[in-house]
Amino acid sequence: MPVLVMKFGGTSVASLDRIRRAAKRVGREVANGHDVIVIVSAMSGKTNELVGWVNEISPLFDAREYDAVVSSGENVTAGLMALTLQEMDIPARSWQGWQVPVLTTSAHSAARIMDIPTDNINTKFSEGMRVAVVAGFQGISPENRITTLGRGGSDTTAVAFAAAFDAERCDIYTDVDGVYTTDPRIESKARKLDRIAFEEMLELASLGAKVLQTRSVELAMRYKVKLRVLSSFEEYDENAGTLVCDEEEIMEQNVVAGVAYQRDEAKMTLISVADRPGIAAAIFGPLSEAGVNVDMIVQNISEEGRTDMTFSCPVEQVARAERAMQEAKTSGDINFHDIVADTDVAKVSVVGIGMRSHAGVAAKMFQVLSDEGINIKVITTSEIKISVLIDRKYMELAVQSLHDAFELEKVA
Ligand code: ADP
Ligand code: ASP
Ligand code: MG
């Protein structure tokens, strides 16, 4: 029978009633003749609570134990979903990551899926099981430890299963009815897109639009998974939601497809480092080893052989970054006068494949921000996106004014 993957995010399994609602939707697909793989998230808020407990006990925690704790929310919803389906007389069984097994790297808290052997689940399907409920977000490392795939990782579990089982489609059920031109919670005029190109979705996700985890979009693109985002709260219809697809499958297209933001950024500056060959490697090597995800980098003009080096990273990694830099200074690998952290910044980006062939998007973006009196602290660009770092208090205003200026509420 054709396999369908259905993923339910945290708000879609937040209570027993919602689990029943989701199970009904699964039941309809079973009745339509599908074998279904259901991927569940933890109940909404649960993973945050677990992360909070870990941080409270051990701020610079052992990542293996972090994964042991934070993966547990999905175990509960997987079991509950299987029981709910059984109560509906649908043959269902739950699977934790290690039971499948979902084989991952050992990069705890940010593991990558390497392989998903299909034999165990396929054997059960051939014996009459109709639904495999799999705990999202988790896997097992070569060292036999539980791993997690990074926040939002159940999306990636879902797409990886769709690829491994050659599923007809991967449906991501969430609390919005599709992918919008920007987060509809920030801009009420945001428009739902019927289709979005893989590349644009990839950029939007990696620039903060958390509706899909970045890695899930990468996998869908690589393995040609038919990926759809839709609401678990609205009545279902065939054309519901947003289809993430190839650029060629999209008819009309704005130059800018969407606006994304990352709220909790920090800007760090090393003041007065020696401007010599190898300095960037000496700074960013230790940062990477300390697990700091450096994003934007600016090296300022050098004067008398010394320069300031600025970079951005997630605000929760500032302490790690400072420690890594102080250690590198103590060991004599780098020398700097001071390290300054600005923890009140956010990143706002505009994305669109139309930018490849249209000039002037950057100029317009900068003008819009200037008209609103918003100071730009750092800029980075690529072929299809422009990102700026600004004061966090202006983030909503920036998103809304860019959405207006590029007329994203309208189809071009
Ligand atoms: P789930 O728990 O189902 O995985 P998430 O909270 O991870 O859901 O992702 C859905 C949320 O993503 C929405 O509630 C919305 O606030 C946010 N979001 C951010 N950018 C966008 C966008 N461009 N389109 C739709 N949703 C977006
Ligand atoms: N529960 C995990 C998280 O909140 C994974 C997910 O929901 O995708 O990040
Ligand atoms: Mg999510």
Side-chain angles (χ1 to χ4, degrees), residues 7 9-10 41 151-155 172 174 210-213:
K7 179 254 172 178
S41 286
R151 297 306 303 271
S154 298
D155 299 328
I172 305 283
T174 182
K210 68 172 182 160
V211 62
L212 286 174
Q213 198 197 33

Side-chain angles (χ1 to χ4, degrees), residues 59 66 148 184 246 276:
Y66 169 96
T148 63
D246 283 326
R276 58 166 171 84

Side-chain angles (χ1 to χ4, degrees), residues 6 8 11-12 18 21-22 24-25 28 172-178 180 184-185 192 228-242:
M6 304 171 77
F8 293 93
T11 39
S12 311
R18 292 203 180 158
R21 197 187 165 96
K24 272 195 200 138
R25 184 141 297 173
R28 180 168 34 219
I172 305 283
Y173 285 92
T174 182
D175 57 0
V176 280
D177 60 351
Y180 279 70
R185 289 178 211 286
K192 189 187 75 107
R228 189 165 67 148
V229 176
L230 67 173
S231 162
S232 63
F233 299 107
E234 292 188 6
E235 276 316 303
Y236 181 82
D237 82 79
E238 282 289 299
N239 301 315
T242 301

Side-chain angles (χ1 to χ4, degrees), residues 182-223:
T182 192
D183 188 346
R185 289 178 211 286
I186 289 215
E187 169 56 277
S188 56
K189 284 183 278 175
R191 174 171 54 89
K192 189 187 75 107
L193 301 163
D194 292 331
R195 291 173 178 234
I196 185 165
F198 281 121
E199 279 188 66
E200 286 171 337
M201 191 63 241
L202 193 60
E203 286 284 3
L204 285 174
S206 73
L207 296 168
K210 68 172 182 160
V211 62
L212 286 174
Q213 198 197 33
T214 309
R215 181 84 184 125
S216 73
V217 186
E218 265 171 35
L219 284 183
M221 199 165 157
R222 167 127 57 97
Y223 294 102

Side-chain angles (χ1 to χ4, degrees), residues 255-291:
V255 175
V256 171
V259 182
Y261 63 86
Q262 232 140 15
R263 186 187 300 273
D264 296 314
E265 293 290 290
K267 172 172 152 274
M268 305 195 66
T269 304
L270 292 172
I271 310 224
S272 186
V273 289
D275 190 10
R276 58 166 171 84
I279 187 65
I283 293 172
F284 296 107
L287 286 170
S288 150
E289 274 160 38

Side-chain angles (χ1 to χ4, degrees), residues 7-10 40-48 51 66 70-71 73-74 136-138 149-157 213:
K7 179 254 172 178
F8 293 93
V40 285
S41 286
M43 290 184 176
S44 66
K46 190 70 211 174
T47 311
N48 285 345
V51 170
Y66 169 96
V70 306
S71 62
E74 273 71 10
F137 179 50
Q138 48 171 264
L149 309 178
R151 297 306 303 271
S154 298
D155 299 328
T156 300
T157 309
Q213 198 197 33

Side-chain angles (χ1 to χ4, degrees), residues 349-371:
S349 312
V350 300
V351 171
I353 38 190
M355 282 185 213
R356 285 190 200 128
S357 47
H358 283 78
V361 174
K364 182 161 173 181
M365 177 175 190
F366 303 152
Q367 189 59 51
V368 169
L369 297 175
S370 153
D371 291 346

